[in-house]
Amino acid sequence: MVDYQWQDPRIEFIALDYLSPVSELIEQTKDVCKDVTHAFFTSYVHVDDFKVLKEKNVPLFTNFLDSLDAVAPNLENVCLQTGGKVCTKVSLEFSICTDSCHSIMEFTWDP
């Protein structure tokens, strides 16, 4: 076994399918994420069809937020890594309620 000294024992990577129902995600994360205060979201489904892009990625992020909100009462921060896109106009509307973490996302593409 290789000993990686650089790894932070506070960080745990878990593989989840965020297109699964939120109830399944809650069941899979309730123990490991109960003490989470900071989360990083880097999942993305790429397709060339902008309509399908929205249909896949909005639920992906919404399920992440809804399931994490249900199991992590001390959640303070979510970092959304969006990468880079090349197009002439992209707008992303995102809002979070203060009493619970519900997302509203709208993508507008105007190439």
Side-chain angles (χ1 to χ4, degrees), residues 24-44:
E24 289 180 18
L25 295 168
I26 290 171
E27 189 61 34
Q28 294 170 323
T29 60
K30 66 182 179 183
D31 294 328
V32 72
C33 294
K34 67 183 183 321
D35 297 322
V36 166
T37 57
H38 292 70
F40 298 85
F41 184 82
T42 58
S43 294
Y44 179 75

Side-chain angles (χ1 to χ4, degrees), residues 36-77:
V36 166
T37 57
H38 292 70
F40 298 85
F41 184 82
T42 58
S43 294
Y44 179 75
V45 175
H46 180 74
V47 291
D48 290 331
D49 182 328
F50 288 136
K51 181 179 180 189
V52 176
L53 192 66
K54 177 181 176 180
E55 289 171 0
K56 294 292 184 185
N57 286 290
V58 170
L60 193 73
F61 190 52
T62 301
N63 290 354
F64 165 76
L65 288 176
D66 288 344
S67 62
L68 188 58
D69 184 51
V71 300
N74 298 317
L75 185 64
E76 296 175 14
N77 184 286

